[in-house]
């Protein structure tokens, strides 16, 4: 489901320790997915979130991540991911990183597919300036 050309980006995002920054980065990379992938990923993450938060379920987001992490990546992409993940880590540690990342996606499924607010504001400013026939080169991506 995750586009092969963006796998290195997902690996770098998985290394982030600031959850707010991680979420914003995931939101941006999700905007780059083909529409079909984005729709299917959204539906899957929402379903897995419902399962993980169901009080009758024994499957939390980490356990679901353990099952689904390998399926979010194609096998040839997994080899590239193994080579790019954190230096001297063992294969088990690398798998744990990808499972934790998948659990993060599940836990944040409601917010994953939203446009980051600063990007939305920048786009609105850009559009307003375009409509007024003004130059847009000075519009920053951040406030």
């Amino acid at each position: 489901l995750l586009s092969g050309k963006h796998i290195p980006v997902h690996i770098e995002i998985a290394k982030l320790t600031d959850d707010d920054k991680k979420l914003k980065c995931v939101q941006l990379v999700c905007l780059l997915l083909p529409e079909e992938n984005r729709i299917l990923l959204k539906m899957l993450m929402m379903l897995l979130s419902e399962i993980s938060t169901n009080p009758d379920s024994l499957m939390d987001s980490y356990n679901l991540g353990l099952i689904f992490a390998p399926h979010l990546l194609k096998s040839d992409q997994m080899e590239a991911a193994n080579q790019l993940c954190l230096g001297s880590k063992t294969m088990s540690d690398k798998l744990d990183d990808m499972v934790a990342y998948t659990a993060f996606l599940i836990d944040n499924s409601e917010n994953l597919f939203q446009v980051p607010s600063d990007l939305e504001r920048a786009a609105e400013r850009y559009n307003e300036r375009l409509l007024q026939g003004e130059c847009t080169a000075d519009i920053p991506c951040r406030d």
Side-chain angles (χ1 to χ4, degrees), residues 4 7-8 10-12 15 73-87 91 94-95 97-98:
I7 296 302
H10 286 283
I11 291 167
E12 291 303 314
K15 296 176 188 178
L73 308 166
K74 292 182 182 175
S75 59
D76 58 327
Q77 295 165 348
M78 197 58 144
E79 180 57 35
N82 289 335
Q83 293 173 6
L84 291 171
C85 278
L86 305 171
M91 184 64 106
K94 292 175 188 179
L95 179 59
D97 290 344
M98 295 313 290

Side-chain angles (χ1 to χ4, degrees), residues 2-143:
L2 302 176
S3 179
K5 62 185 173 185
H6 300 128
I7 296 302
V9 175
H10 286 283
I11 291 167
E12 291 303 314
I13 294 170
K15 296 176 188 178
L16 296 174
T17 56
D18 179 339
D19 282 350
D20 290 334
K21 190 173 191 174
K22 187 184 288 189
L23 177 60
K24 189 174 187 175
C25 290
V26 173
Q27 288 172 328
L28 290 172
V29 78
C30 282
L31 292 173
L32 301 175
L33 288 171
E35 183 177 6
E36 299 84 14
N37 292 43
R38 192 171 52 252
I39 291 168
L40 186 56
L41 182 63
K42 182 178 182 178
M43 292 172 61
L44 177 62
M45 291 299 117
M46 296 297 284
L47 174 65
L48 295 179
S49 177
E50 284 185 38
I51 292 169
S52 72
T53 57
N54 183 329
D56 295 329
S57 174
L58 298 176
M59 298 296 285
D60 62 13
S61 59
Y62 185 85
N63 289 335
L64 291 167
L66 188 61
I67 293 168
F68 284 91
H71 301 288
L72 291 176
L73 308 166
K74 292 182 182 175
S75 59
D76 58 327
Q77 295 165 348
M78 197 58 144
E79 180 57 35
N82 289 335
Q83 293 173 6
L84 291 171
C85 278
L86 305 171
S88 62
K89 284 192 169 190
T90 66
M91 184 64 106
S92 176
D93 290 337
K94 292 175 188 179
L95 179 59
D96 285 344
D97 290 344
M98 295 313 290
V99 169
Y101 180 66
T102 304
F104 177 84
L105 298 178
I106 294 167
D107 291 337
N108 291 279
S109 63
E110 287 188 27
N111 299 315
L112 284 183
F113 301 92
Q114 295 176 0
V115 176
S117 58
D118 57 343
L119 178 61
E120 188 172 21
R121 283 190 302 273
E124 288 170 357
R125 286 192 305 269
Y126 180 83
N127 192 42
E128 287 171 9
R129 299 277 284 285
L130 276 178
L131 292 173
Q132 295 172 1
E134 298 176 14
C135 177
T136 58
D138 64 328
I139 296 177
C141 291
R142 298 179 152 218
D143 285 4

